[in-house]
Amino acid sequence: MEYFVNCNSSTLAPYTIPLDSTKAAHLYRRLGFSASVATIEQAVGQTASTLVDSIINEALNMPPLPAPSWADWTNADYPEDDQLRNQIRNAQLAEWRLTYSNALLENNLRERLSFFWSNHFVTEIDIYDCNPFLYYYIDCLQRNAIHNFKTFVSEIGLTSAMLYYLDGVYNNGNNPNENYARELYELFTLGEGNGYTEEDIIETAKALTGYVERGEVGCTPVTFNPERFDAGSKTILGQTGNWGYDDVIDILFQQRTNEIAEFICRKFYEFFVHPDSKDETGNGQTIIAGMAATFVASDFEIAPVLSQLFKSQHFFDDNAIGVIIKSPYDMYFNFFKETSFAYDDLNIEEVNNYTRLLGQTLFDPFDVAGWQRDRSWINTNFMIGRWLTIETIIEGFYQSDNEQFRSFALSITGNDGTDSNNPDIIARQIIDYMLPKGLLGEPEYDKAFAIFRSDVDDTYYEGGTDETWTLAMWQQAPFQVYLLLQYLARQPEFQLK
């Protein structure tokens, strides 16, 4: 697949042209897991300012997922029998995976962000191995996803999932563990080697001691034990005192304000706009600097930064469209949303199984650095897997209700489908809806048109008889749409958003 150089030279000035379908679809592919034909049509003609405000306000006011019945269980609540205990634990995990996956499909920007943050503040369920810890970790991601970043950093570090995952629970005053202190700077706030020293890590680890109290049974939330805290003087980022956890966060955000803002805004940019933020042919560095200034001015509130970015000419520039490679979840869930095919929990479970095969296991990123995204998703093995699995999903939808393929196509081309008996016109509309920038050129469209025409005799496309082909009435039309979608799913352009 061609590597996209970042040639985007547009600025953060507001994009004021009313949205067309291409720009609206771009917005929904980036801010959520895409959208239905009806949602995109509703967005057409709106301004970016109005639509982005609506999407951000929805995210700001959205409550976290309700707590499951087992949210506060400890190991004492599970049966003593090993086999039965494991069955219940596995069932709980599957239940929560399904609940959160449905939320990804339904909750637009808030869940897009909670998913983003799960790959920034990484934990792995396989390491801490406690379902209630997982629930409270996701709850923390959702509550803070689009609110204050400093508060977010403070809260995430005290979740039991994180304390176990990065060894904070073993960080004693008489024997400090540096793991969390290192990742706090390197991965969560500053970037590797940016604005801190090894001595800062050692001293910070001492200030983070004491969160080691684990209760008498496993899966008990971690609490603070002052007797296990290092009460001596520490020097952190040039500041000396008897610092504790809250002090570390305060000092970090006071002393490294600009570094934090730049690091996080670069992450936003590479996730929402273009994976290459440093290409000198584009304007990425200037955009990130502008975003960082907004982040600092708003005292690390996330919403103003994202609002500025999502309303900008830079975000809507043609060079920003179709340049990010879909993650496995993007590929499947975008297809669900864009087609509006009727899915159920079995479809969602199927997706969760397939994403695991393609290197994206929900709640279990590869390591503390998270999924590396973009080009890592399309090595040779993963590409074959992407083709085969999406084809299986499309086939499953067709087998369950083939008429929904006709309905999907009609939703794109017009309510009655009688505006043209030219299948190439119909096919082009479907292609341009499904792919961010359509196919590469007319020869590629011709190949797709041939697939869509299937084995229907050309005379039926010529009109003037009682047996003229139309999308609305032709018996074989759903199968033709099915064939076209199967064909598109193997095209390079389908892998992009």
Side-chain angles (χ1 to χ4, degrees):
M1 183 176 294
E2 179 184 357
Y3 172 66
F4 288 97
V5 175
N6 188 356
C7 299
N8 189 341
S9 59
S10 293
T11 70
L12 280 172
Y15 183 79
T16 57
I17 302 170
L19 299 177
D20 61 17
S21 58
T22 299
K23 304 293 190 189
H26 167 65
L27 184 73
Y28 280 107
R29 284 191 179 107
R30 298 291 174 85
L31 273 60
F33 287 91
S34 202
S36 66
V37 176
T39 299
I40 291 171
E41 285 181 348
Q42 191 175 22
V44 170
Q46 293 191 52
T47 63
S49 179
T50 299
L51 188 54
V52 169
D53 280 347
S54 175
I55 292 171
I56 286 181
N57 286 335
E58 177 191 50
L60 283 167
N61 294 308
M62 185 174 289
L65 289 169
S69 60
W70 42 264
D72 295 309
W73 283 25
T74 67
N75 283 353
D77 294 293
Y78 293 91
E80 292 186 7
D81 179 78
D82 287 347
Q83 184 175 1
L84 187 56
R85 181 173 65 249
N86 287 335
Q87 286 178 352
I88 293 175
R89 284 159 58 105
N90 290 338
Q92 289 174 347
L93 183 57
E95 169 201 333
W96 188 242
R97 185 181 291 117
L98 186 60
T99 297
Y100 185 65
S101 297
N102 273 294
L104 291 178
L105 269 166
E106 296 165 5
N107 290 344
N108 297 322
L109 178 59
R110 205 283 300 277
E111 239 55 82
R112 171 59 84 180
L113 282 168
S114 74
F115 200 51
F116 164 81
W117 291 119
S118 76
N119 202 43
H120 178 80
F121 296 115
V122 172
T123 66
E124 300 174 54
I125 182 67
D126 285 356
I127 303 299
Y128 59 84
D129 194 28
C130 173
N131 295 336
F133 291 178
L134 172 63
Y135 160 70
Y136 280 105
Y137 166 74
I138 295 295
D139 178 73
C140 184
L141 297 182
Q142 291 181 323
R143 285 186 295 100
N144 292 284
I146 193 169
H147 292 279
N148 188 273
F149 183 67
K150 180 183 176 184
T151 301
F152 200 171
V153 172
S154 177
E155 288 193 14
I156 199 73
L158 295 183
T159 60
S160 295
M162 188 65 77
L163 284 166
Y164 268 94
Y165 180 59
L166 290 182
D167 300 328
V169 74
Y170 307 115
N171 190 12
N172 295 305
N174 60 355
N175 186 23
N177 185 298
E178 299 169 9
N179 200 8
Y180 185 75
R182 182 177 304 280
E183 306 306 359
L184 173 64
Y185 295 145
E186 182 174 315
L187 293 178
F188 297 166
T189 58
L190 296 173
E192 186 173 359
N194 182 35
Y196 64 92
T197 66
E198 285 296 312
E199 190 63 26
D200 286 323
I201 291 173
I202 292 169
E203 295 290 279
T204 298
K206 295 176 183 177
L208 300 179
T209 54
Y211 290 91
V212 296
E213 206 61 36
R214 303 190 285 279
E216 297 181 0
V217 295
C219 214
T220 299
V222 181
T223 56
F224 182 72
N225 182 346
E227 295 181 2
R228 310 295 287 277
F229 172 69
D230 184 330
S233 181
K234 305 107 178 167
T235 300
I236 299 171
L237 303 179
Q239 309 300 300
T240 302
N242 178 19
W243 309 129
Y245 185 93
D246 291 341
D247 300 310
V248 168
I249 305 301
D250 287 340
I251 292 168
L252 171 59
F253 278 79
Q254 289 165 3
Q255 299 300 317
R256 297 294 183 267
T257 302
N258 294 330
E259 291 87 346
I260 294 170
E262 195 274 342
F263 179 66
I264 298 303
C265 288
R266 186 174 301 279
K267 281 235 171 179
F268 286 149
Y269 184 91
E270 292 180 350
F271 185 76
F272 286 109
V273 181
H274 197 291
D276 186 354
S277 63
K278 299 180 179 179
D279 195 315
E280 294 182 0
T281 62
N283 201 24
Q285 296 279 54
T286 303
I287 299 301
I288 291 166
M291 293 167 61
T294 299
F295 208 17
V296 172
S298 65
D299 199 22
F300 291 101
E301 289 293 329
I302 295 167
V305 178
L306 296 184
S307 178
Q308 179 186 36
L309 178 62
F310 297 154
K311 295 177 181 180
S312 71
Q313 294 175 18
H314 194 86
F315 181 81
F316 285 102
D317 191 288
D318 286 345
N319 287 301
I321 298 174
V323 294
I324 295 179
I325 295 169
K326 293 174 182 174
S327 72
Y329 274 102
D330 279 313
M331 182 177 68
Y332 302 122
F333 282 175
N334 283 20
F335 184 82
F336 284 19
K337 293 291 284 290
E338 288 164 4
T339 60
S340 295
F341 289 161
Y343 66 85
D344 57 23
D345 286 348
L346 290 177
N347 297 121
I348 303 298
E349 289 173 351
E350 184 179 30
V351 165
N352 285 329
N353 288 331
Y354 289 157
T355 57
R356 185 160 51 245
L357 295 175
L358 299 178
Q360 193 175 33
T361 304
L362 194 60
F363 308 141
D364 197 14
F366 180 72
D367 59 22
V368 68
W371 304 303
Q372 295 309 299
R373 303 195 307 269
D374 215 56
R375 299 187 79 187
S376 65
W377 296 131
I378 54 169
N379 64 40
T380 303
N381 290 334
F382 285 169
M383 275 308 307
I384 295 171
R386 287 163 83 101
W387 291 338
L388 295 177
T389 54
I390 192 67
E391 287 172 1
T392 299
I393 284 176
I394 296 171
E395 182 177 1
F397 282 130
Y398 186 79
Q399 295 295 336
S400 66
D401 178 11
N402 62 49
E403 275 299 319
Q404 63 184 329
F405 283 69
R406 189 199 307 272
S407 299
F408 160 65
L410 286 171
S411 71
I412 297 171
T413 62
N415 290 330
D416 60 7
T418 59
D419 56 335
S420 175
N421 63 305
N422 186 334
D424 299 353
I425 293 176
I426 301 294
R428 185 182 292 273
Q429 290 175 286
I430 296 171
I431 293 164
D432 290 347
Y433 169 73
M434 291 298 298
L435 308 180
K437 284 186 172 179
L439 288 165
L440 187 61
E442 286 307 309
E444 303 307 315
Y445 276 96
D446 289 340
K447 294 176 187 176
F449 295 163
I451 296 294
F452 184 67
R453 283 174 172 263
S454 184
D455 58 358
V456 177
D457 192 290
D458 283 348
T459 58
Y460 292 110
Y461 297 125
E462 295 170 0
T465 73
D466 291 337
E467 292 186 298
T468 298
W469 183 93
T470 65
L471 177 61
M473 301 302 295
W474 195 258
Q475 183 178 358
Q476 195 175 331
F479 184 64
Q480 293 177 257
V481 177
Y482 163 77
L483 290 177
L484 180 60
L485 291 179
Q486 289 281 27
Y487 176 77
L488 293 180
R490 283 202 172 222
Q491 304 314 302
E493 294 87 347
F494 184 81
Q495 309 303 325
L496 301 172
K497 66 172 186 176

